[in-house]
Amino acid sequence: MRFLGNVLATLVGLFVFCMIFFFGIILVGVIVGSGEDEVNVKSNSVIELDLSKINFDYAGKTHYDDFTFLNEKDKHDGLSDVIASIKAAQIDDDIKGISILNNNCSLGIAQTKALRDELEDFKKSGKFIMSYADTYSQKDYYLNSVANTIYINPIGELDFKGLSSEVMFFKDFQEKSGLKMEIIRHGKYKSAVEPFLENKMSDANREQISSLLNSVWSSIVVDIAKSRNVSVARLNEVADGLLARTPEMAKAEKLVDVIAYEDVYHNDIRKVLKVQKDKDYNRVSIEDYAEKIATTSRDYDTKNKIAIIYAQGEIKSGEGDVDYIGEGSMRRSLQEARKDKKIKAIVLRIDSPGGNALTSDLIWREIELTKKTKPVVVSMGNLAASGGYYIACNADRIYAENNTITGSIGVFGMLPNFTQAANKIGLNTEQVRTHKNASDYSPFQPLSENFRAFAQEGVEKIYTTFVKRVAKGRKMTFEQVNAIAQGRVWSGAEAQKIGLVDKIGGMDEALAEAAKLANIKKYKTQDFPEYKKSFHDVLDKFGLAQSKQEMIKEEIGTENYLILQKIKKMTQQKGIQAMMPFEIIIR
């Protein structure tokens, strides 16, 4: 007993030590972080535009109910902060130019377009933008092409070949493996599930993908043509023949200006700044500069505000976070903005492929209530498709970029079915029920026609509701919306032509429209949402709240975990058993 007591005491001591160490590290981080020095921008400085850590429009803000000392100060490393800082840099006498050096951007095309437009405005101030890369990806070149002077490494390369999309099909794989997905859908263009139904691309899907790619590409080459003074026709010839694949070829086609190593690039910046060759020039990272602008640029002259509510990521149930949309944070944000008398209008910034239909409808309803008291304007980012369009369709105005992906007004359900695969390895399941429809769907039973009919009924109901929501919001008939719905995706430029979008423009245009609808001229902006987290969320963030079982379930799925557990139980059983001969689960 003494031995067991010592073991228990040791385990408890280790646990307490780990917890103290864990929270000690957090506390030290908070103390150190709170003592950070204010960003100091020296005169004659250059902004280094490194976007490798910029992933979202909105950086997010989190509130911890249980541990207020963990509450974060406002972050300023979102794309919206970057754009705001570039705008401020135009009139900042300390900033002389912007350097884009070996930029590796993870932003989407529409986000890149918004940033590029702001850089175009920056050049109008007479300040320079210079760009250097060892290699340019096509998207990075699109952004860098805005620069006054473009440098490339002598051994580098430039990717400029047009756009493409590849779809993998699983129909034959399903038949051979027995791992099948049961599909219930509405919409002939709902291509998200097509790979599980066919082994090649349908004509309808090929049509929409081709139309979308051509529309997005047209937007890209128009911008490049303007910046590089090369015709759109010639750019298409260059892309078609890969005529800019080497530094020399790219320079001959006027896509780059200078072939040189990075040290030459920095020396040329020194010349522009009139800094001696053996001296370093003053630099400030875009993140630091954004922090400075956000914390020093305060407009106290006006009390009027416009709320910017960011909806970014897949739509799921729950609270939500910086990378997914939940009804908790979204509904709370809309309610707070609605009740705040200083907030005169709302801009809903959407960057979402959609997701949970119920969550989408809950957010739609909150927007309906908000519109009764304040104007709501939508600004679409990279994509506002399916559920992302659902939460946009009832806004007073909708803005999108030319290359925003939107529409996809369609609904589908996808259910995994492992019956054939289970039979192949000798697994079989049987069901006992009190009523015909008492049992839920089982991935180990063939999909019954009865269940399929009920599931299809649910899909049809949601689709009809979706189309009605769009028809009401866009002031169209059900038939008009149905004709352009069916799950088809559209570019922003195409969506404007068919009535799904009002105007082409970015956040600035959406804010101007919101101010106009609210009849205000001067205003401040306030960002939402603030995500609320608990102690469990803190632990979960560091992987400390998950048990071994939860982590395995997350990796292989609940159903696969149950199979694994059943096999494990069978292999561990030895000798005569005094237990129930089968497992029963009552639902």
Side-chain angles (χ1 to χ4, degrees), residues 378 380 389 392-393 395-400 474 500-503:
V378 160
M380 293 181 174
Y389 189 78
C393 69
D396 294 297
R397 298 285 189 279
I398 300 177
Y399 282 75
R474 302 305 299 160
L500 295 181
V501 166
D502 291 302
K503 294 180 180 179

Side-chain angles (χ1 to χ4, degrees), residues 22-23 62-68 70-71 319-320 531-542 545:
F22 170 68
F23 285 108
T62 304
H63 176 84
Y64 293 96
D65 292 327
D66 305 308
F67 299 96
T68 55
L70 287 176
N71 290 341
E319 167 63 13
Y531 306 106
K532 292 188 176 181
K533 302 292 180 182
S534 65
F535 173 62
H536 185 277
D537 296 319
V538 176
L539 296 179
D540 192 49
K541 184 177 181 181
F542 291 92

Side-chain angles (χ1 to χ4, degrees), residues 23 25 31 61 68 118 134 171 190 218 249 280 303 306 311 331 364 468 487 497 512 577:
F23 285 108
I25 290 294
I31 294 171
K61 183 180 179 181
T68 55
E118 193 59 51
D134 294 323
K171 183 181 179 183
K190 206 64 189 174
S218 295
M249 295 173 76
D280 200 3
K303 294 182 179 180
I306 294 178
R331 294 178 70 187
W364 173 90
K468 285 181 177 178
K497 294 176 183 177
Q577 304 292 313

Side-chain angles (χ1 to χ4, degrees), residues 487-549:
R488 176 163 180 169
V489 295
W490 306 89
S491 70
E494 294 171 324
Q496 185 191 23
K497 294 176 183 177
I498 60 177
L500 295 181
V501 166
D502 291 302
K503 294 180 180 179
I504 298 300
M507 180 66 82
D508 285 347
E509 288 78 11
L511 284 168
E513 181 69 17
K516 179 181 176 182
L517 292 174
N519 196 28
I520 57 175
K521 292 184 178 180
K522 295 187 68 177
Y523 60 86
K524 296 179 288 189
T525 61
Q526 182 175 345
D527 292 342
F528 292 87
E530 180 178 283
Y531 306 106
K532 292 188 176 181
K533 302 292 180 182
S534 65
F535 173 62
H536 185 277
D537 296 319
V538 176
L539 296 179
D540 192 49
K541 184 177 181 181
F542 291 92
L544 298 175
Q546 286 183 305
S547 66
K548 177 181 71 174
Q549 291 84 355

Side-chain angles (χ1 to χ4, degrees), residues 183-246:
I183 307 299
I184 301 98
R185 66 170 177 170
H186 184 113
K188 65 180 181 178
Y189 289 101
K190 206 64 189 174
S191 55
V193 297
E194 186 178 86
F196 299 100
L197 301 172
E198 307 291 343
N199 56 19
K200 64 177 183 179
M201 192 177 292
S202 66
D203 291 340
N205 194 14
R206 185 175 295 278
E207 174 194 346
Q208 72 164 342
I209 292 176
S210 178
S211 178
L212 178 66
L213 291 177
N214 280 299
S215 180
V216 172
W217 177 253
S218 295
S219 173
I220 289 172
V221 291
V222 165
D223 286 341
I224 295 175
K226 180 180 177 183
S227 294
R228 299 304 302 168
N229 196 26
V230 179
S231 71
V232 169
R234 184 54 190 170
L235 287 174
N236 281 318
E237 290 173 358
V238 170
D240 204 40
L242 299 180
L243 303 180
R245 60 186 182 273
T246 68

Side-chain angles (χ1 to χ4, degrees), residues 17-274:
F17 171 78
C18 289
M19 295 303 292
I20 292 174
F21 178 78
F22 170 68
F23 285 108
I25 290 294
I26 291 178
L27 186 59
V28 169
V30 171
I31 294 171
V32 172
S34 62
E36 289 178 352
D37 294 332
E38 182 179 326
V39 176
N40 181 31
V41 179
K42 299 178 181 179
S43 63
N44 207 33
S45 288
V46 173
I47 292 176
E48 291 190 322
L49 189 64
D50 180 2
L51 303 171
S52 58
K53 296 180 181 178
I54 309 298
N55 299 310
F56 303 105
D57 286 329
Y58 174 49
K61 183 180 179 181
T62 304
H63 176 84
Y64 293 96
D65 292 327
D66 305 308
F67 299 96
T68 55
F69 69 88
L70 287 176
N71 290 341
E72 302 167 334
K73 64 178 182 177
D74 291 347
K75 294 181 179 178
H76 304 294
D77 56 356
L79 178 62
S80 59
D81 301 296
V82 170
I83 289 176
S85 61
I86 293 173
K87 191 185 298 292
Q90 293 184 44
I91 56 174
D92 187 339
D93 292 336
D94 291 330
I95 299 298
K96 303 302 180 184
I98 293 175
S99 168
I100 312 177
L101 176 61
N102 279 319
N103 181 55
N104 184 16
C105 177
S106 60
L107 299 173
I109 290 293
Q111 290 173 313
T112 303
K113 162 72 173 172
L115 177 57
R116 196 182 187 283
D117 287 347
E118 193 59 51
L119 290 171
E120 280 283 10
D121 285 342
F122 176 85
K123 288 197 303 183
K124 295 175 183 177
S125 66
K127 301 178 181 183
F128 68 84
I129 299 177
M130 294 173 68
S131 160
Y132 177 92
D134 294 323
T135 61
Y136 287 101
S137 70
Q138 190 161 245
K139 186 175 67 175
D140 285 335
Y141 178 74
Y142 172 51
L143 177 66
N144 283 258
S145 64
V146 74
N148 301 96
T149 311
I150 302 176
Y151 293 69
I152 190 171
N153 186 295
I155 314 298
E157 58 184 36
L158 190 151
D159 187 26
F160 193 76
K161 59 189 177 186
L163 305 178
S164 67
S165 178
E166 184 177 80
V167 180
M168 183 177 289
F169 293 85
F170 305 101
K171 183 181 179 183
D172 291 347
F173 169 78
Q174 291 178 120
E175 292 174 356
K176 291 178 181 178
S177 67
L179 302 172
K180 186 181 179 183
M181 299 300 291
E182 299 286 359
I183 307 299
I184 301 98
R185 66 170 177 170
H186 184 113
K188 65 180 181 178
Y189 289 101
K190 206 64 189 174
S191 55
V193 297
E194 186 178 86
F196 299 100
L197 301 172
E198 307 291 343
N199 56 19
K200 64 177 183 179
M201 192 177 292
S202 66
D203 291 340
N205 194 14
R206 185 175 295 278
E207 174 194 346
Q208 72 164 342
I209 292 176
S210 178
S211 178
L212 178 66
L213 291 177
N214 280 299
S215 180
V216 172
W217 177 253
S218 295
S219 173
I220 289 172
V221 291
V222 165
D223 286 341
I224 295 175
K226 180 180 177 183
S227 294
R228 299 304 302 168
N229 196 26
V230 179
S231 71
V232 169
R234 184 54 190 170
L235 287 174
N236 281 318
E237 290 173 358
V238 170
D240 204 40
L242 299 180
L243 303 180
R245 60 186 182 273
T246 68
E248 292 76 18
M249 295 173 76
K251 185 177 181 181
E253 294 295 342
K254 300 180 182 179
L255 297 192
V256 301
D257 300 295
V258 181
I259 301 173
Y261 288 101
E262 187 179 329
D263 57 291
V264 176
Y265 172 75
H266 290 298
N267 283 335
D268 286 353
I269 292 179
R270 289 186 181 93
K271 291 177 184 177
V272 176
L273 297 175
K274 298 180 181 178

